[in-house]
């Protein structure tokens, strides 16, 4: 369902999830429509397919962070 304010003024998105440093998921504060950023930096609707891609990206991202921490510990 579309919010009247959203169709008049556009959506008011806020970040709902940080997927990676560059990819985030956004949700409209008024109508809860969800958007994300694809690999090309385009703002696109967050479809179930992209939700899945983002969750995979997020897992890889977190693994990298973990590995980074371990490497730091080894270097010390
Ligand atoms: Zn909206």
């Amino acid at each position: 369902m579309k919010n009247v304010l959203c169709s008049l003024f556009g959506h008011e998105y806020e970040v709902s999830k940080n997927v990676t440093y560059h990819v985030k998921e956004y949700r409209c504060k008024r109508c809860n429509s969800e958007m994300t950023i694809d690999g090309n930096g385009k703002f696109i609707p967050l479809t179930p397919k992209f939700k899945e891609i983002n969750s995979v990206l997020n897992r890889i991202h977190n693994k990298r962070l973990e590995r980074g921490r371990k490497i730091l510990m080894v270097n010390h």
Side-chain angles (χ1 to χ4, degrees):
M1 203 185 83
K2 257 194 170 178
N3 187 302
V4 180
L5 284 172
C6 286
S7 41
L8 281 177
F9 304 111
H11 299 285
E12 205 176 304
Y13 290 112
E14 59 181 7
V15 176
S16 59
K17 189 180 173 190
N18 284 297
V19 180
T20 68
Y21 290 121
H22 307 291
V23 181
K24 292 173 175 61
E25 290 178 5
Y26 301 86
R27 185 181 292 122
C28 177
K29 282 196 247 178
R30 286 190 291 253
C31 70
N32 286 328
S33 87
E34 291 181 298
M35 299 288 282
T36 189
I37 301 224
D38 73 1
N40 302 316
K42 269 201 288 190
F43 207 48
I44 49 158
L46 182 60
T47 58
K49 188 187 153 205
F50 271 97
K51 234 176 201 173
E52 209 180 301
I53 292 172
N54 280 354
S55 80
V56 173
L57 281 176
N58 185 239
R59 227 176 296 148
I60 296 168
H61 179 68
N62 286 338
K63 243 185 217 148
R64 256 189 223 145
L65 285 183
E66 231 169 71
R67 210 180 302 147
R69 245 176 263 137
K70 272 179 203 146
I71 289 165
L72 261 182
M73 276 162 62
V74 171
N75 285 343
H76 277 282

